[in-house]
Amino acid sequence: MTDDPIIKFDKVVKRFGDLTVLNKLDFQVAKGEKVSIIGPSGSGKSTVLRILMTLENIDDGVVTVAGEPLWHEPEPDGLKPASEAHLRKMRAQLGMVFQQFNLFPHMTVLRNITEAPTKVLGLSKQDARLRAEELLELVGLADQAQKYPHQLSGGQQQRVGIARALAMRPNVLLFDEPTSALDPELVGEVLNVIGMLAEEHDLTMLLVTHEMRFAREISDRVCFFDRGKIREQGTPEELFTDPSEDRTREFLKAVL
Ligand code: ADP
Ligand code: MG
């Protein structure tokens, strides 16, 4: 882990109509850092991840990824709105695992994983296939390559989702409540894979989760979001055993 932030939100404002979802959010993640975001529903957690994936634009402030503005491009006398090419380049540094898996239903597991590396990175079919097979091995699904998503359990589908995100070799992996849609008995297999990835020194991870025990185990830092701001943050030890804000204590009491 180095001190250079790989992700930086600088006074970021995001509104949906009259609703201000992010209210001058300042937030940084260092390279290699594993950060969990917890907080009540509607507090803007998913919005943070969606902005990073360029699925949502911002209304004010600056987001930088690896030192470069995400939503803007430098021009001689300042910044201009980012072009599609710039967004594509920036997005390629990040991978996201969604709550609802978001696999392509009409594609096999293998094709779900090879699609973006061939289309976006220009990998040959053969190379993409080798990469996919390695990743399926890693997530324990080597024998499921030819199945379709509906033939798999939710836990297996989510492990495919993780393999698919990794296939783009991202520097940063974003997880948006990756186990919330799963039956309880399938949560463990997905957390095991995420836990294994958390041991990778270079991989930066940003995880929105309600799995407090897991967040505590794997995170370097935990951020408590409340109404579009970070209300409190610290090491898992600090935040879970000795929170300083009443709001954090209330939240933890309700979920733990
Ligand atoms: P969280 O992930 O913390 O539950 P979100 O980031 O998904 O919260 O949403 C924050 C707020 O923004 C919520 O009130 C939500 O209803 C609202 N919101 C999110 N996306 C949209 C959208 N596309 N249009 C309008 N409102 C939205
Ligand atoms: Mg959410």
Side-chain angles (χ1 to χ4, degrees):
M1 192 164 52
T2 70
D3 288 341
D4 283 342
I6 190 161
I7 290 173
K8 190 169 172 196
F9 281 63
D10 190 3
K11 297 197 175 52
V12 170
V13 176
K14 172 65 187 172
R15 296 186 200 95
F16 290 112
D18 290 341
L19 178 70
T20 301
V21 176
L22 300 183
N23 187 8
K24 297 194 178 159
L25 175 70
D26 288 322
F27 176 55
Q28 298 193 0
V29 180
K31 191 171 179 327
E33 197 178 16
K34 318 296 185 250
V35 177
S36 292
I37 297 180
I38 62 171
S41 183
S43 59
K45 306 180 299 295
S46 295
T47 300
V48 165
L49 302 189
R50 291 176 55 79
I51 287 171
L52 285 166
M53 289 312 286
T54 72
L55 296 169
E56 300 286 355
N57 207 333
I58 59 176
D59 294 298
D60 201 5
V62 182
V63 177
T64 56
V65 174
E68 265 191 272
L70 177 63
W71 280 106
H72 302 92
E73 270 177 85
E75 63 175 358
D77 34 354
L79 293 171
K80 64 170 182 179
S83 64
E84 190 47 47
H86 177 79
L87 290 178
R88 213 176 307 124
K89 184 190 86 180
M90 299 300 288
R91 200 186 294 142
Q93 304 181 60
L94 306 129
M96 179 145 163
V97 176
F98 297 87
Q99 183 176 352
Q100 297 293 343
F101 325 137
N102 291 14
L103 299 179
F104 305 116
H106 57 293
M107 292 183 190
T108 61
V109 163
L110 186 76
R111 180 90 192 283
N112 261 281
I113 303 173
T114 57
E115 184 71 1
T118 48
K119 294 271 161 64
V120 181
L121 302 181
L123 237 61
S124 72
K125 279 201 170 145
Q126 174 64 13
D127 287 349
R129 190 191 176 97
L130 285 174
R131 186 181 286 193
E133 284 168 353
E134 267 174 36
L135 289 168
L136 282 172
E137 182 85 44
L138 182 81
V139 300
L141 295 171
D143 49 351
Q144 308 291 326
Q146 297 308 326
K147 296 249 176 90
Y148 285 85
H150 75 269
Q151 298 174 295
L152 303 180
S153 73
Q156 290 174 322
Q157 289 188 53
Q158 190 58 300
R159 286 186 280 147
V160 175
I162 295 171
R164 182 178 61 175
L166 288 170
M168 297 296 281
R169 300 260 161 96
N171 298 317
V172 182
L173 211 45
L174 310 173
F175 295 89
D176 194 0
E177 298 191 28
T179 59
S180 296
L182 297 176
D183 291 333
E185 75 272 20
L186 302 178
V187 167
E189 65 191 65
V190 172
L191 293 184
N192 282 342
V193 170
I194 301 173
M196 176 178 72
L197 295 174
E199 287 168 18
E200 288 222 14
H201 181 77
D202 285 335
L203 186 65
T204 306
M205 279 178 29
L206 189 51
L207 169 76
V208 175
T209 188
H210 292 299
E211 296 285 338
M212 298 300 152
R213 194 138 39 102
F214 184 69
R216 185 171 184 156
E217 261 171 47
I218 67 146
S219 313
D220 299 309
R221 177 158 56 99
V222 180
C223 298
F224 173 60
F225 265 60
D226 187 34
R227 278 176 268 156
K229 286 211 172 195
I230 297 177
R231 180 61 78 98
E232 180 166 1
Q233 59 181 320
T235 63
E237 194 61 25
E238 287 164 351
L239 203 98
F240 288 122
T241 53
D242 190 22
S244 51
E245 300 277 330
D246 287 345
R247 192 69 194 87
T248 317
R249 260 194 295 276
E250 267 168 46
F251 175 77
L252 290 175
K253 212 162 113 192
V255 296
L256 280 177

